[in-house]
Amino acid sequence: DKTKQTKRHARPVDAAVVDKLNSCRVVPVVALSDAAGAPSLASALVEGGLPVVEIVFRTAAAEEAVRRIAQTEPGALVGAGTILTVEQAKKAVDAGARFIVSPGLNPEVVRWCQENGIIVIPGVATPSEVEKALRLGLSMVKFFPAEANGGPKALQAICAPFPGIKFMPTGGINEDNLEKYLTVPQVACCGGSWMVPQDAINQGNWKYIKELAQRASALARSVDVKLSQKK
């Protein structure tokens, strides 16, 4: 049985990375066409209170962007997104990515990450895909695309039969609906791009990105305060 083999040969993941993903609450999802600005972008996000960043492998600059952030910004936990193949996963990890995110559930990518002790968060949209993820030994998945698949209400319904798994909803999340997602008990964090607008990145407007990051971080903290008061 391949699943059993995967579990037997899986290397333990870095607990500090797991803790950071569970506590960060908001993960900026960034597409960079030029890697030169990557360290400044990461610094702006960290200073704004968002220490985790996902660089999507949709551009030729993605691998180098991950490498530069990993080498120059120790306060940032950098991961790679839109990983479709094992080859991409290898390149991302070699560049310094500490976690891998995929739009769908690719067992080959999942197994490679598990065998190499890398946290992998594949995309799911249905209960059947959540079951597949559980059979692969995963404890966190990406609900994607979140808004197009019914938003927080749909996610809450999918969560009900699977109390042991955490979700990172991504896709269509912004300041207006972030709170609704973060109040779903099994949501560890939300991925989003609203605090890293493409025009600000292209202009190198790191001050504005830092301000947006501060707003996103403050909003997430305020939601967590409300949730702790309800307990």
Side-chain angles (χ1 to χ4, degrees), residues 37-48 50-51 53 69 72-73 75-76 78 206:
S40 297
L41 170 71
S43 295
L45 291 171
V46 170
E47 288 170 17
L50 299 179
V53 58
I69 292 172
T72 63
E73 184 45 73
V78 62
W206 314 125

Side-chain angles (χ1 to χ4, degrees), residues 87-102:
E87 184 183 3
Q88 281 184 320
K90 286 178 181 175
K91 284 183 178 179
V93 171
D94 286 345
R98 306 286 300 283
F99 62 95
I100 295 294
V101 183
S102 300

Side-chain angles (χ1 to χ4, degrees), residues 1-9 111 135-136:
D1 182 88
K2 287 183 179 178
T3 305
K4 286 180 181 174
Q5 285 175 4
T6 301
K7 287 183 178 177
R8 196 160 56 235
H9 297 302
R111 290 188 184 110
R135 285 202 300 273
L136 286 166

Side-chain angles (χ1 to χ4, degrees), residues 3-175:
T3 305
K4 286 180 181 174
Q5 285 175 4
T6 301
K7 287 183 178 177
R8 196 160 56 235
H9 297 302
R11 284 173 53 188
V13 296
D14 188 336
V17 177
V18 177
D19 290 344
K20 207 157 191 176
L21 282 166
N22 278 318
S23 63
C24 70
R25 302 297 267 158
V26 176
V27 176
V29 179
V30 186
L32 286 169
S33 55
D34 184 355
S40 297
L41 170 71
S43 295
L45 291 171
V46 170
E47 288 170 17
L50 299 179
V52 180
V53 58
E54 175 190 331
I55 303 295
V56 294
F57 270 52
R58 295 181 186 177
T59 70
E63 184 183 348
E64 182 60 24
V66 168
R67 183 175 289 108
R68 292 193 186 194
I69 292 172
Q71 290 174 348
T72 63
E73 184 45 73
L77 177 70
V78 62
T82 321
I83 297 297
L84 305 177
T85 65
V86 170
E87 184 183 3
Q88 281 184 320
K90 286 178 181 175
K91 284 183 178 179
V93 171
D94 286 345
R98 306 286 300 283
F99 62 95
I100 295 294
V101 183
S102 300
L105 183 58
N106 182 332
E108 290 178 7
V109 171
V110 169
R111 290 188 184 110
W112 183 87
C113 289
Q114 289 172 328
E115 287 162 9
N116 289 276
I118 302 297
I119 290 168
V120 57
I121 308 169
V124 300
T126 67
S128 294
E129 290 167 343
V130 176
E131 286 190 358
K132 286 180 185 174
L134 287 168
R135 285 202 300 273
L136 286 166
L138 294 166
S139 57
M140 187 187 291
V141 290
K142 176 168 91 161
F143 181 54
F144 177 80
E147 279 293 285
N149 277 308
K153 284 187 178 179
L155 177 55
Q156 184 90 55
I158 289 172
C159 282
F162 308 108
I165 197 160
K166 296 273 186 130
F167 289 85
M168 182 175 85
T170 306
I173 299 177
N174 53 46
E175 282 187 334

